[in-house]
Amino acid sequence: MAFAHSKNSRVLVNSTHLSGRITGWSVAGERGLGETTTLLDVGSRFLPGLRSGSISLNGLFDGAEGDIDEKIRATDGVQNGLLASVLPDGFTIGKPAFITTSNLSSYSVESSVAETVSLTVESTPDDGVDHGRVVHGHTAETSTGDSASVDNGASSTNGGVAALHVTAVTGTTPSLTVKVQHSADNVSFADLITFTAATAATSERKTVTGTVNRYVREQHTLSGTTPNFTYAAAFARR
């Protein structure tokens, strides 16, 4: 049995690794139910409906330029302004990842005389919460390559969703193209999702429909002079 300690969890929001400001989090996936109970039933009956959820972040306030307060306030009123990947057990490839694209619903800053100024972020995801796996840890890449594959044990048929968080970039005219690929045999891989080429810190979420083969991996292609990209990526089956 593999339990996870909260100190190992990590949080990425848009193009920022916020773990150094976050003290706690919660993610909830929900699904609406339509009641179908009739007079002839002896118990309640329901029909699964729309997916929804919630994400809450608790952290330490920092009002410096470019820090957490500025990053969160910039999403106020922006539809799907918060692309968050919450990793309960760290950045190791194959570890769990919750992926959400959400709307900021509440941002509060709290203070008391004996405590550090803190903050709470509440947001409501569009399209629910997807439970996937890390396919690239939050590390730097300087050349083209492939990450280790993740074995699902079997193929799936309902498509999936992927998230990319590019947090730091250096080099002259650097460019990074990240793909999620899949394979039936862990030898021959085909492209499944291709993210928009990144030339600066950025984030993106993309979906795919149809069959996803048993194995998935991340592939990265870098160009430019001495390119260096720090980023993380996750993929969730549906």
Side-chain angles (χ1 to χ4, degrees), residues 11-14 18 21-28 53-62 67-77 81-84 86 100 102-110 118-125:
V11 177
L12 294 148
V13 176
N14 296 339
L18 285 181
R21 298 291 182 268
I22 299 300
T23 59
W25 54 267
S26 66
V27 175
S54 63
I55 178 170
S56 175
L57 304 176
N58 302 309
L60 302 175
F61 176 85
D62 192 323
D67 217 295
I68 186 169
D69 176 64
E70 182 178 283
K71 296 290 187 181
I72 297 302
R73 287 190 293 107
T75 69
D76 186 17
L82 288 165
L83 173 57
V86 178
T100 72
S102 60
N103 303 286
L104 181 66
S105 56
S106 173
Y107 174 46
S108 59
V109 178
E110 301 92 22
S118 61
L119 57 82
T120 301
V121 177
E122 304 282 354
S123 66
T124 302

mmCIF file of all heavy atoms in Angstrom, residues 11-14 18 21-28 53-62 67-77 81-84 86 100 102-110 118-125:
data_model
loop_
_atom_site.group_PDB
_atom_site.id
_atom_site.type_symbol
_atom_site.label_atom_id
_atom_site.label_comp_id
_atom_site.label_asym_id
_atom_site.label_seq_id
_atom_site.Cartn_x
_atom_site.Cartn_y
_atom_site.Cartn_z
ATOM 1 N N VAL A 11 1.659 21.970 -6.607
ATOM 2 C CA VAL A 11 0.557 22.683 -7.257
ATOM 3 C C VAL A 11 1.115 23.602 -8.337
ATOM 4 O O VAL A 11 2.012 24.416 -8.077
ATOM 5 C CB VAL A 11 -0.247 23.516 -6.239
ATOM 6 C CG1 VAL A 11 -1.339 24.317 -6.954
ATOM 7 C CG2 VAL A 11 -0.859 22.624 -5.168
ATOM 8 N N LEU A 12 0.574 23.469 -9.532
ATOM 9 C CA LEU A 12 0.901 24.345 -10.655
ATOM 10 C C LEU A 12 -0.364 25.073 -11.075
ATOM 11 O O LEU A 12 -1.422 24.454 -11.221
ATOM 12 C CB LEU A 12 1.432 23.545 -11.835
ATOM 13 C CG LEU A 12 2.774 22.840 -11.631
ATOM 14 C CD1 LEU A 12 2.819 21.557 -12.443
ATOM 15 C CD2 LEU A 12 3.924 23.752 -12.012
ATOM 16 N N VAL A 13 -0.260 26.386 -11.254
ATOM 17 C CA VAL A 13 -1.386 27.178 -11.743
ATOM 18 C C VAL A 13 -0.901 28.015 -12.913
ATOM 19 O O VAL A 13 0.038 28.813 -12.772
ATOM 20 C CB VAL A 13 -1.980 28.076 -10.654
ATOM 21 C CG1 VAL A 13 -3.080 28.965 -11.236
ATOM 22 C CG2 VAL A 13 -2.528 27.247 -9.506
ATOM 23 N N ASN A 14 -1.511 27.804 -14.064
ATOM 24 C CA ASN A 14 -1.109 28.472 -15.296
ATOM 25 C C ASN A 14 0.385 28.260 -15.536
ATOM 26 O O ASN A 14 0.838 27.137 -15.584
ATOM 27 C CB ASN A 14 -1.527 29.941 -15.259
ATOM 28 C CG ASN A 14 -3.042 30.090 -15.223
ATOM 29 O OD1 ASN A 14 -3.771 29.175 -15.598
ATOM 30 N ND2 ASN A 14 -3.540 31.215 -14.751
ATOM 31 N N LEU A 18 3.420 27.034 -7.887
ATOM 32 C CA LEU A 18 3.022 27.757 -6.672
ATOM 33 C C LEU A 18 3.272 26.991 -5.383
ATOM 34 O O LEU A 18 2.891 27.470 -4.308
ATOM 35 C CB LEU A 18 1.533 28.127 -6.750
ATOM 36 C CG LEU A 18 1.147 29.271 -7.678
ATOM 37 C CD1 LEU A 18 -0.361 29.508 -7.612
ATOM 38 C CD2 LEU A 18 1.889 30.548 -7.325
ATOM 39 N N ARG A 21 4.248 28.623 -2.144
ATOM 40 C CA ARG A 21 3.321 29.558 -1.496
ATOM 41 C C ARG A 21 2.086 28.842 -0.943
ATOM 42 O O ARG A 21 1.315 29.438 -0.207
ATOM 43 C CB ARG A 21 2.864 30.630 -2.491
ATOM 44 C CG ARG A 21 3.976 31.512 -3.030
ATOM 45 C CD ARG A 21 4.537 32.415 -1.963
ATOM 46 N NE ARG A 21 5.574 33.291 -2.496
ATOM 47 C CZ ARG A 21 6.866 33.005 -2.502
ATOM 48 N NH1 ARG A 21 7.279 31.826 -2.039
ATOM 49 N NH2 ARG A 21 7.747 33.846 -2.981
ATOM 50 N N ILE A 22 1.887 27.599 -1.310
ATOM 51 C CA ILE A 22 0.677 26.861 -0.943
ATOM 52 C C ILE A 22 0.921 26.046 0.327
ATOM 53 O O ILE A 22 1.932 25.363 0.466
ATOM 54 C CB ILE A 22 0.248 25.921 -2.086
ATOM 55 C CG1 ILE A 22 -0.058 26.734 -3.344
ATOM 56 C CG2 ILE A 22 -0.966 25.103 -1.678
ATOM 57 C CD1 ILE A 22 -1.169 27.744 -3.190
ATOM 58 N N THR A 23 -0.049 26.128 1.248
ATOM 59 C CA THR A 23 0.038 25.366 2.504
ATOM 60 C C THR A 23 -0.961 24.211 2.553
ATOM 61 O O THR A 23 -0.844 23.322 3.395
ATOM 62 C CB THR A 23 -0.209 26.282 3.707
ATOM 63 O OG1 THR A 23 -1.509 26.887 3.582
ATOM 64 C CG2 THR A 23 0.852 27.386 3.774
ATOM 65 N N GLY A 24 -1.935 24.222 1.673
ATOM 66 C CA GLY A 24 -2.927 23.156 1.639
ATOM 67 C C GLY A 24 -3.844 23.321 0.446
ATOM 68 O O GLY A 24 -3.911 24.399 -0.149
ATOM 69 N N TRP A 25 -4.522 22.261 0.102
ATOM 70 C CA TRP A 25 -5.420 22.301 -1.051
ATOM 71 C C TRP A 25 -6.501 21.237 -0.899
ATOM 72 O O TRP A 25 -6.356 20.294 -0.127
ATOM 73 C CB TRP A 25 -4.650 22.063 -2.355
ATOM 74 C CG TRP A 25 -3.839 20.801 -2.363
ATOM 75 C CD1 TRP A 25 -2.516 20.659 -2.015
ATOM 76 C CD2 TRP A 25 -4.294 19.479 -2.705
ATOM 77 N NE1 TRP A 25 -2.128 19.348 -2.117
ATOM 78 C CE2 TRP A 25 -3.182 18.598 -2.543
ATOM 79 C CE3 TRP A 25 -5.506 18.955 -3.130
ATOM 80 C CZ2 TRP A 25 -3.270 17.225 -2.785
ATOM 81 C CZ3 TRP A 25 -5.604 17.583 -3.372
ATOM 82 C CH2 TRP A 25 -4.482 16.747 -3.203
ATOM 83 N N SER A 26 -7.564 21.400 -1.664
ATOM 84 C CA SER A 26 -8.577 20.345 -1.772
ATOM 85 C C SER A 26 -9.166 20.373 -3.172
ATOM 86 O O SER A 26 -9.345 21.444 -3.765
ATOM 87 C CB SER A 26 -9.692 20.522 -0.721
ATOM 88 O OG SER A 26 -10.435 21.699 -0.970
ATOM 89 N N VAL A 27 -9.411 19.187 -3.693
ATOM 90 C CA VAL A 27 -9.995 19.035 -5.015
ATOM 91 C C VAL A 27 -11.176 18.077 -4.888
ATOM 92 O O VAL A 27 -11.050 17.019 -4.274
ATOM 93 C CB VAL A 27 -8.977 18.472 -6.029
ATOM 94 C CG1 VAL A 27 -9.643 18.201 -7.370
ATOM 95 C CG2 VAL A 27 -7.805 19.422 -6.195
ATOM 96 N N ALA A 28 -12.306 18.446 -5.457
ATOM 97 C CA ALA A 28 -13.489 17.591 -5.396
ATOM 98 C C ALA A 28 -14.077 17.428 -6.786
ATOM 99 O O ALA A 28 -14.303 18.421 -7.490
ATOM 100 C CB ALA A 28 -14.536 18.181 -4.453
ATOM 101 N N GLY A 53 -17.291 20.203 -10.102
ATOM 102 C CA GLY A 53 -16.288 20.009 -9.062
ATOM 103 C C GLY A 53 -15.903 21.311 -8.415
ATOM 104 O O GLY A 53 -16.542 22.351 -8.607
ATOM 105 N N SER A 54 -14.825 21.260 -7.643
ATOM 106 C CA SER A 54 -14.316 22.464 -6.975
ATOM 107 C C SER A 54 -12.844 22.264 -6.662
ATOM 108 O O SER A 54 -12.360 21.137 -6.532
ATOM 109 C CB SER A 54 -15.097 22.745 -5.679
ATOM 110 O OG SER A 54 -14.921 21.686 -4.749
ATOM 111 N N ILE A 55 -12.134 23.377 -6.574
ATOM 112 C CA ILE A 55 -10.742 23.358 -6.160
ATOM 113 C C ILE A 55 -10.500 24.520 -5.219
ATOM 114 O O ILE A 55 -10.950 25.646 -5.465
ATOM 115 C CB ILE A 55 -9.776 23.406 -7.368
ATOM 116 C CG1 ILE A 55 -8.320 23.436 -6.896
ATOM 117 C CG2 ILE A 55 -10.087 24.563 -8.288
ATOM 118 C CD1 ILE A 55 -7.319 23.245 -8.017
ATOM 119 N N SER A 56 -9.834 24.235 -4.115
ATOM 120 C CA SER A 56 -9.542 25.238 -3.099
ATOM 121 C C SER A 56 -8.055 25.200 -2.785
ATOM 122 O O SER A 56 -7.476 24.120 -2.586
ATOM 123 C CB SER A 56 -10.359 24.964 -1.824
ATOM 124 O OG SER A 56 -9.994 25.858 -0.796
ATOM 125 N N LEU A 57 -7.429 26.379 -2.764
ATOM 126 C CA LEU A 57 -6.015 26.510 -2.435
ATOM 127 C C LEU A 57 -5.852 27.416 -1.225
ATOM 128 O O LEU A 57 -6.442 28.505 -1.185
ATOM 129 C CB LEU A 57 -5.223 27.100 -3.611
ATOM 130 C CG LEU A 57 -5.308 26.373 -4.949
ATOM 131 C CD1 LEU A 57 -4.548 27.154 -6.012
ATOM 132 C CD2 LEU A 57 -4.757 24.960 -4.832
ATOM 133 N N ASN A 58 -5.092 26.966 -0.256
ATOM 134 C CA ASN A 58 -4.744 27.785 0.900
ATOM 135 C C ASN A 58 -3.250 28.070 0.855
ATOM 136 O O ASN A 58 -2.446 27.170 0.561
ATOM 137 C CB ASN A 58 -5.089 27.063 2.205
ATOM 138 C CG ASN A 58 -6.557 26.692 2.283
ATOM 139 O OD1 ASN A 58 -7.422 27.528 2.076
ATOM 140 N ND2 ASN A 58 -6.830 25.429 2.562
ATOM 141 N N GLY A 59 -2.876 29.316 1.142
ATOM 142 C CA GLY A 59 -1.458 29.629 1.025
ATOM 143 C C GLY A 59 -1.056 30.861 1.793
ATOM 144 O O GLY A 59 -1.805 31.411 2.607
ATOM 145 N N LEU A 60 0.178 31.299 1.523
ATOM 146 C CA LEU A 60 0.769 32.468 2.154
ATOM 147 C C LEU A 60 0.725 33.637 1.187
ATOM 148 O O LEU A 60 1.087 33.503 0.017
ATOM 149 C CB LEU A 60 2.215 32.177 2.565
ATOM 150 C CG LEU A 60 2.401 30.991 3.514
ATOM 151 C CD1 LEU A 60 3.884 30.728 3.734
ATOM 152 C CD2 LEU A 60 1.699 31.249 4.832
ATOM 153 N N PHE A 61 0.299 34.781 1.677
ATOM 154 C CA PHE A 61 0.190 35.971 0.838
ATOM 155 C C PHE A 61 1.564 36.537 0.518
ATOM 156 O O PHE A 61 2.414 36.668 1.404
ATOM 157 C CB PHE A 61 -0.651 37.026 1.554
ATOM 158 C CG PHE A 61 -0.750 38.328 0.809
ATOM 159 C CD1 PHE A 61 -1.714 38.495 -0.173
ATOM 160 C CD2 PHE A 61 0.122 39.379 1.070
ATOM 161 C CE1 PHE A 61 -1.814 39.682 -0.868
ATOM 162 C CE2 PHE A 61 0.026 40.574 0.383
ATOM 163 C CZ PHE A 61 -0.945 40.733 -0.592
ATOM 164 N N ASP A 62 1.780 36.868 -0.740
ATOM 165 C CA ASP A 62 2.978 37.588 -1.175
ATOM 166 C C ASP A 62 2.549 38.570 -2.241
ATOM 167 O O ASP A 62 2.088 38.171 -3.312
ATOM 168 C CB ASP A 62 4.036 36.633 -1.712
ATOM 169 C CG ASP A 62 5.394 37.320 -1.894
ATOM 170 O OD1 ASP A 62 5.415 38.502 -2.285
ATOM 171 O OD2 ASP A 62 6.426 36.656 -1.643
ATOM 172 N N ASP A 67 4.244 37.677 -8.065
ATOM 173 C CA ASP A 67 4.048 36.593 -7.109
ATOM 174 C C ASP A 67 2.576 36.213 -7.026
ATOM 175 O O ASP A 67 1.748 36.632 -7.831
ATOM 176 C CB ASP A 67 4.616 36.963 -5.745
ATOM 177 C CG ASP A 67 5.266 35.780 -5.040
ATOM 178 O OD1 ASP A 67 4.531 34.832 -4.713
ATOM 179 O OD2 ASP A 67 6.493 35.795 -4.837
ATOM 180 N N ILE A 68 2.221 35.407 -6.023
ATOM 181 C CA ILE A 68 0.937 34.715 -6.015
ATOM 182 C C ILE A 68 -0.255 35.663 -6.037
ATOM 183 O O ILE A 68 -1.243 35.413 -6.742
ATOM 184 C CB ILE A 68 0.853 33.742 -4.813
ATOM 185 C CG1 ILE A 68 -0.448 32.912 -4.901
ATOM 186 C CG2 ILE A 68 1.000 34.459 -3.483
ATOM 187 C CD1 ILE A 68 -0.474 31.752 -3.922
ATOM 188 N N ASP A 69 -0.200 36.764 -5.305
ATOM 189 C CA ASP A 69 -1.340 37.682 -5.285
ATOM 190 C C ASP A 69 -1.617 38.232 -6.677
ATOM 191 O O ASP A 69 -2.761 38.250 -7.137
ATOM 192 C CB ASP A 69 -1.077 38.818 -4.302
ATOM 193 C CG ASP A 69 -2.178 39.861 -4.318
ATOM 194 O OD1 ASP A 69 -3.322 39.515 -3.957
ATOM 195 O OD2 ASP A 69 -1.906 41.023 -4.697
ATOM 196 N N GLU A 70 -0.581 38.673 -7.357
ATOM 197 C CA GLU A 70 -0.752 39.206 -8.706
ATOM 198 C C GLU A 70 -1.239 38.137 -9.671
ATOM 199 O O GLU A 70 -2.105 38.392 -10.515
ATOM 200 C CB GLU A 70 0.571 39.792 -9.190
ATOM 201 C CG GLU A 70 0.491 40.425 -10.566
ATOM 202 C CD GLU A 70 1.812 41.027 -10.984
ATOM 203 O OE1 GLU A 70 2.144 42.119 -10.494
ATOM 204 O OE2 GLU A 70 2.519 40.390 -11.800
ATOM 205 N N LYS A 71 -0.704 36.932 -9.534
ATOM 206 C CA LYS A 71 -1.089 35.854 -10.437
ATOM 207 C C LYS A 71 -2.564 35.491 -10.285
ATOM 208 O O LYS A 71 -3.269 35.274 -11.277
ATOM 209 C CB LYS A 71 -0.231 34.617 -10.164
ATOM 210 C CG LYS A 71 1.250 34.795 -10.431
ATOM 211 C CD LYS A 71 1.552 34.928 -11.901
ATOM 212 C CE LYS A 71 3.054 34.937 -12.159
ATOM 213 N NZ LYS A 71 3.377 35.084 -13.604
ATOM 214 N N ILE A 72 -3.039 35.437 -9.044
ATOM 215 C CA ILE A 72 -4.438 35.063 -8.816
ATOM 216 C C ILE A 72 -5.380 36.191 -9.236
ATOM 217 O O ILE A 72 -6.399 35.957 -9.900
ATOM 218 C CB ILE A 72 -4.668 34.681 -7.341
ATOM 219 C CG1 ILE A 72 -3.829 33.450 -6.966
ATOM 220 C CG2 ILE A 72 -6.151 34.414 -7.087
ATOM 221 C CD1 ILE A 72 -4.104 32.223 -7.803
ATOM 222 N N ARG A 73 -5.054 37.428 -8.862
ATOM 223 C CA ARG A 73 -5.932 38.549 -9.215
ATOM 224 C C ARG A 73 -6.071 38.720 -10.719
ATOM 225 O O ARG A 73 -7.102 39.182 -11.216
ATOM 226 C CB ARG A 73 -5.415 39.831 -8.576
ATOM 227 C CG ARG A 73 -5.635 39.909 -7.073
ATOM 228 C CD ARG A 73 -5.328 41.287 -6.507
ATOM 229 N NE ARG A 73 -3.913 41.611 -6.600
ATOM 230 C CZ ARG A 73 -3.400 42.484 -7.458
ATOM 231 N NH1 ARG A 73 -4.195 43.111 -8.326
ATOM 232 N NH2 ARG A 73 -2.099 42.737 -7.473
ATOM 233 N N ALA A 74 -5.040 38.330 -11.464
ATOM 234 C CA ALA A 74 -5.083 38.468 -12.921
ATOM 235 C C ALA A 74 -6.125 37.556 -13.555
ATOM 236 O O ALA A 74 -6.515 37.760 -14.708
ATOM 237 C CB ALA A 74 -3.711 38.182 -13.510
ATOM 238 N N THR A 75 -6.595 36.543 -12.829
ATOM 239 C CA THR A 75 -7.585 35.610 -13.382
ATOM 240 C C THR A 75 -9.021 36.008 -13.055
ATOM 241 O O THR A 75 -9.954 35.362 -13.529
ATOM 242 C CB THR A 75 -7.339 34.186 -12.856
ATOM 243 O OG1 THR A 75 -7.650 34.125 -11.455
ATOM 244 C CG2 THR A 75 -5.884 33.773 -13.060
ATOM 245 N N ASP A 76 -9.202 37.052 -12.250
ATOM 246 C CA ASP A 76 -10.542 37.465 -11.845
ATOM 247 C C ASP A 76 -11.356 37.895 -13.064
ATOM 248 O O ASP A 76 -10.958 38.799 -13.812
ATOM 249 C CB ASP A 76 -10.442 38.620 -10.848
ATOM 250 C CG ASP A 76 -11.795 39.000 -10.270
ATOM 251 O OD1 ASP A 76 -12.745 38.199 -10.367
ATOM 252 O OD2 ASP A 76 -11.900 40.110 -9.701
ATOM 253 N N GLY A 77 -12.469 37.253 -13.300
ATOM 254 C CA GLY A 77 -13.337 37.593 -14.418
ATOM 255 C C GLY A 77 -12.929 36.977 -15.741
ATOM 256 O O GLY A 77 -13.589 37.206 -16.758
ATOM 257 N N GLY A 81 -9.886 30.957 -16.383
ATOM 258 C CA GLY A 81 -8.621 31.653 -16.164
ATOM 259 C C GLY A 81 -7.613 30.885 -15.340
ATOM 260 O O GLY A 81 -6.437 31.273 -15.279
ATOM 261 N N LEU A 82 -8.043 29.815 -14.674
ATOM 262 C CA LEU A 82 -7.145 29.049 -13.802
ATOM 263 C C LEU A 82 -6.983 27.632 -14.340
ATOM 264 O O LEU A 82 -7.870 26.796 -14.208
ATOM 265 C CB LEU A 82 -7.701 28.987 -12.376
ATOM 266 C CG LEU A 82 -7.635 30.274 -11.554
ATOM 267 C CD1 LEU A 82 -8.534 30.161 -10.329
ATOM 268 C CD2 LEU A 82 -6.204 30.564 -11.122
ATOM 269 N N LEU A 83 -5.846 27.370 -14.971
ATOM 270 C CA LEU A 83 -5.495 26.000 -15.343
ATOM 271 C C LEU A 83 -4.608 25.457 -14.233
ATOM 272 O O LEU A 83 -3.475 25.896 -14.056
ATOM 273 C CB LEU A 83 -4.768 25.952 -16.679
ATOM 274 C CG LEU A 83 -4.193 24.586 -17.087
ATOM 275 C CD1 LEU A 83 -5.280 23.519 -17.122
ATOM 276 C CD2 LEU A 83 -3.479 24.680 -18.420
ATOM 277 N N ALA A 84 -5.134 24.514 -13.473
ATOM 278 C CA ALA A 84 -4.414 23.997 -12.314
ATOM 279 C C ALA A 84 -4.164 22.507 -12.468
ATOM 280 O O ALA A 84 -5.043 21.752 -12.896
ATOM 281 C CB ALA A 84 -5.195 24.262 -11.032
ATOM 282 N N VAL A 86 -2.889 19.648 -9.799
ATOM 283 C CA VAL A 86 -2.558 19.352 -8.407
ATOM 284 C C VAL A 86 -2.043 17.922 -8.348
ATOM 285 O O VAL A 86 -2.734 16.986 -8.770
ATOM 286 C CB VAL A 86 -3.794 19.525 -7.498
ATOM 287 C CG1 VAL A 86 -3.453 19.156 -6.065
ATOM 288 C CG2 VAL A 86 -4.301 20.962 -7.573
ATOM 289 N N THR A 100 -7.583 20.576 -13.758
ATOM 290 C CA THR A 100 -8.814 21.364 -13.836
ATOM 291 C C THR A 100 -8.559 22.656 -14.592
ATOM 292 O O THR A 100 -7.477 23.240 -14.497
ATOM 293 C CB THR A 100 -9.359 21.744 -12.441
ATOM 294 O OG1 THR A 100 -8.512 22.741 -11.846
ATOM 295 C CG2 THR A 100 -9.446 20.543 -11.531
ATOM 296 N N SER A 102 -10.571 26.192 -14.515
ATOM 297 C CA SER A 102 -11.653 26.672 -13.661
ATOM 298 C C SER A 102 -11.761 28.188 -13.660
ATOM 299 O O SER A 102 -10.904 28.909 -14.183
ATOM 300 C CB SER A 102 -11.453 26.158 -12.229
ATOM 301 O OG SER A 102 -10.221 26.605 -11.707
ATOM 302 N N ASN A 103 -12.841 28.635 -13.042
ATOM 303 C CA ASN A 103 -13.148 30.059 -12.935
ATOM 304 C C ASN A 103 -13.022 30.501 -11.482
ATOM 305 O O ASN A 103 -13.559 29.850 -10.577
ATOM 306 C CB ASN A 103 -14.571 30.324 -13.428
ATOM 307 C CG ASN A 103 -14.770 29.850 -14.857
ATOM 308 O OD1 ASN A 103 -14.297 30.455 -15.793
ATOM 309 N ND2 ASN A 103 -15.471 28.733 -15.031
ATOM 310 N N LEU A 104 -12.311 31.577 -11.259
ATOM 311 C CA LEU A 104 -12.129 32.097 -9.906
ATOM 312 C C LEU A 104 -13.477 32.543 -9.346
ATOM 313 O O LEU A 104 -14.156 33.383 -9.925
ATOM 314 C CB LEU A 104 -11.153 33.273 -9.923
ATOM 315 C CG LEU A 104 -10.832 33.903 -8.573
ATOM 316 C CD1 LEU A 104 -10.069 32.919 -7.685
ATOM 317 C CD2 LEU A 104 -10.018 35.183 -8.761
ATOM 318 N N SER A 105 -13.862 31.962 -8.223
ATOM 319 C CA SER A 105 -15.138 32.333 -7.602
ATOM 320 C C SER A 105 -14.944 33.115 -6.311
ATOM 321 O O SER A 105 -15.825 33.877 -5.908
ATOM 322 C CB SER A 105 -15.985 31.082 -7.326
ATOM 323 O OG SER A 105 -15.277 30.158 -6.522
ATOM 324 N N SER A 106 -13.790 32.941 -5.656
ATOM 325 C CA SER A 106 -13.547 33.648 -4.395
ATOM 326 C C SER A 106 -12.048 33.734 -4.147
ATOM 327 O O SER A 106 -11.318 32.757 -4.334
ATOM 328 C CB SER A 106 -14.227 32.912 -3.237
ATOM 329 O OG SER A 106 -13.868 33.490 -1.992
ATOM 330 N N TYR A 107 -11.594 34.922 -3.734
ATOM 331 C CA TYR A 107 -10.198 35.114 -3.356
ATOM 332 C C TYR A 107 -10.191 35.975 -2.103
ATOM 333 O O TYR A 107 -10.637 37.115 -2.114
ATOM 334 C CB TYR A 107 -9.424 35.799 -4.476
ATOM 335 C CG TYR A 107 -8.002 36.168 -4.109
ATOM 336 C CD1 TYR A 107 -7.168 35.259 -3.462
ATOM 337 C CD2 TYR A 107 -7.491 37.415 -4.425
ATOM 338 C CE1 TYR A 107 -5.866 35.595 -3.131
ATOM 339 C CE2 TYR A 107 -6.186 37.763 -4.106
ATOM 340 C CZ TYR A 107 -5.369 36.847 -3.458
ATOM 341 O OH TYR A 107 -4.076 37.184 -3.125
ATOM 342 N N SER A 108 -9.716 35.403 -1.002
ATOM 343 C CA SER A 108 -9.720 36.138 0.265
ATOM 344 C C SER A 108 -8.325 36.133 0.877
ATOM 345 O O SER A 108 -7.558 35.177 0.726
ATOM 346 C CB SER A 108 -10.727 35.523 1.243
ATOM 347 O OG SER A 108 -10.412 34.168 1.504
ATOM 348 N N VAL A 109 -8.011 37.217 1.562
ATOM 349 C CA VAL A 109 -6.748 37.361 2.276
ATOM 350 C C VAL A 109 -7.076 37.527 3.751
ATOM 351 O O VAL A 109 -7.926 38.359 4.115
ATOM 352 C CB VAL A 109 -5.946 38.570 1.753
ATOM 353 C CG1 VAL A 109 -4.648 38.734 2.549
ATOM 354 C CG2 VAL A 109 -5.653 38.406 0.265
ATOM 355 N N GLU A 110 -6.428 36.715 4.602
ATOM 356 C CA GLU A 110 -6.749 36.720 6.031
ATOM 357 C C GLU A 110 -5.515 37.083 6.854
ATOM 358 O O GLU A 110 -4.393 36.734 6.502
ATOM 359 C CB GLU A 110 -7.266 35.341 6.467
ATOM 360 C CG GLU A 110 -8.512 34.861 5.740
ATOM 361 C CD GLU A 110 -8.215 34.037 4.508
ATOM 362 O OE1 GLU A 110 -7.094 33.474 4.430
ATOM 363 O OE2 GLU A 110 -9.062 33.979 3.606
ATOM 364 N N SER A 118 -2.329 35.165 5.242
ATOM 365 C CA SER A 118 -2.615 33.994 4.414
ATOM 366 C C SER A 118 -3.678 34.322 3.375
ATOM 367 O O SER A 118 -4.279 35.411 3.384
ATOM 368 C CB SER A 118 -3.080 32.822 5.283
ATOM 369 O OG SER A 118 -4.275 33.165 5.979
ATOM 370 N N LEU A 119 -3.917 33.389 2.495
ATOM 371 C CA LEU A 119 -4.923 33.590 1.458
ATOM 372 C C LEU A 119 -5.644 32.282 1.172
ATOM 373 O O LEU A 119 -5.129 31.198 1.435
ATOM 374 C CB LEU A 119 -4.287 34.148 0.180
ATOM 375 C CG LEU A 119 -3.147 33.366 -0.481
ATOM 376 C CD1 LEU A 119 -3.654 32.220 -1.355
ATOM 377 C CD2 LEU A 119 -2.290 34.284 -1.318
ATOM 378 N N THR A 120 -6.834 32.430 0.608
ATOM 379 C CA THR A 120 -7.633 31.281 0.179
ATOM 380 C C THR A 120 -8.190 31.562 -1.210
ATOM 381 O O THR A 120 -8.739 32.647 -1.455
ATOM 382 C CB THR A 120 -8.795 31.006 1.152
ATOM 383 O OG1 THR A 120 -8.260 30.746 2.453
ATOM 384 C CG2 THR A 120 -9.612 29.814 0.697
ATOM 385 N N VAL A 121 -8.025 30.606 -2.099
ATOM 386 C CA VAL A 121 -8.532 30.708 -3.468
ATOM 387 C C VAL A 121 -9.571 29.623 -3.676
ATOM 388 O O VAL A 121 -9.301 28.444 -3.426
ATOM 389 C CB VAL A 121 -7.395 30.545 -4.497
ATOM 390 C CG1 VAL A 121 -7.953 30.587 -5.921
ATOM 391 C CG2 VAL A 121 -6.326 31.608 -4.293
ATOM 392 N N GLU A 122 -10.762 30.010 -4.115
ATOM 393 C CA GLU A 122 -11.817 29.055 -4.443
ATOM 394 C C GLU A 122 -12.156 29.198 -5.921
ATOM 395 O O GLU A 122 -12.306 30.317 -6.426
ATOM 396 C CB GLU A 122 -13.074 29.328 -3.616
ATOM 397 C CG GLU A 122 -12.870 29.320 -2.112
ATOM 398 C CD GLU A 122 -12.780 27.922 -1.532
ATOM 399 O OE1 GLU A 122 -13.003 26.950 -2.298
ATOM 400 O OE2 GLU A 122 -12.483 27.799 -0.337
ATOM 401 N N SER A 123 -12.244 28.078 -6.624
ATOM 402 C CA SER A 123 -12.609 28.136 -8.032
ATOM 403 C C SER A 123 -13.493 26.954 -8.402
ATOM 404 O O SER A 123 -13.465 25.910 -7.748
ATOM 405 C CB SER A 123 -11.357 28.168 -8.921
ATOM 406 O OG SER A 123 -10.645 26.954 -8.825
ATOM 407 N N THR A 124 -14.262 27.153 -9.460
ATOM 408 C CA THR A 124 -15.200 26.134 -9.933
ATOM 409 C C THR A 124 -14.794 25.694 -11.329
ATOM 410 O O THR A 124 -14.772 26.509 -12.258
ATOM 411 C CB THR A 124 -16.632 26.687 -9.958
ATOM 412 O OG1 THR A 124 -16.986 27.137 -8.644
ATOM 413 C CG2 THR A 124 -17.607 25.619 -10.416
ATOM 414 N N PRO A 125 -14.452 24.425 -11.505
ATOM 415 C CA PRO A 125 -13.989 23.953 -12.814
ATOM 416 C C PRO A 125 -15.097 23.922 -13.858
ATOM 417 O O PRO A 125 -16.244 23.612 -13.559
ATOM 418 C CB PRO A 125 -13.478 22.539 -12.520
ATOM 419 C CG PRO A 125 -13.262 22.499 -11.048
ATOM 420 C CD PRO A 125 -14.303 23.402 -10.472
#
